[in-house]
Amino acid sequence: MTKNKLTNLTDHLFMQLERLTDEDIDADKLELEAKRAESIVAISDQIISTADLQLKAAKLFADHGENVLPLLPQIGNAKTSGGSE
């Protein structure tokens, strides 16, 4: 089973929030968790941006059908005319 799903990202974000709000954490560990949280947020932002782009491409396909496939070569392994990847 893959762990690369948006639901897993949500789980990781909440786990990080729990670590940051742990009242028993010492200052050094809190600083380490804060740095870790910054990295997690930066990566999460990129994952969410990619998912948003995929959703927009899927919406274009849903709204306009196969006519947009040459413009969106990554959807459904569509083949484009001309060059190769």
Side-chain angles (χ1 to χ4, degrees), residues 62-78:
D63 290 347
H64 302 285
E66 292 187 14
N67 293 334
V68 299
L69 287 181
L71 303 172
L72 305 168
Q74 296 303 313
I75 291 181
N77 295 325

Side-chain angles (χ1 to χ4, degrees), residues 4-82:
N4 297 330
K5 297 180 181 179
L6 290 178
T7 54
N8 297 108
L9 175 60
T10 301
D11 292 342
H12 284 289
L13 291 171
F14 277 114
M15 285 187 293
Q16 185 60 38
L17 181 61
E18 288 175 13
R19 287 190 292 269
L20 287 169
T21 58
D22 181 357
E23 292 182 17
D24 297 327
I25 195 169
D26 65 51
D28 290 336
K29 287 185 180 179
L30 181 58
E31 184 178 345
L32 181 64
E33 287 300 331
K35 288 179 181 178
R36 182 178 178 180
E38 288 177 19
S39 296
I40 290 172
V41 167
I43 294 167
S44 298
D45 285 345
Q46 291 301 311
I47 292 169
I48 291 166
S49 292
T50 300
D52 184 53
L53 183 59
Q54 292 171 333
L55 181 61
K56 288 176 182 176
K59 184 172 179 353
L60 276 173
F61 179 72
D63 290 347
H64 302 285
E66 292 187 14
N67 293 334
V68 299
L69 287 181
L71 303 172
L72 305 168
Q74 296 303 313
I75 291 181
N77 295 325
K79 302 209 186 274
T80 59
S81 59

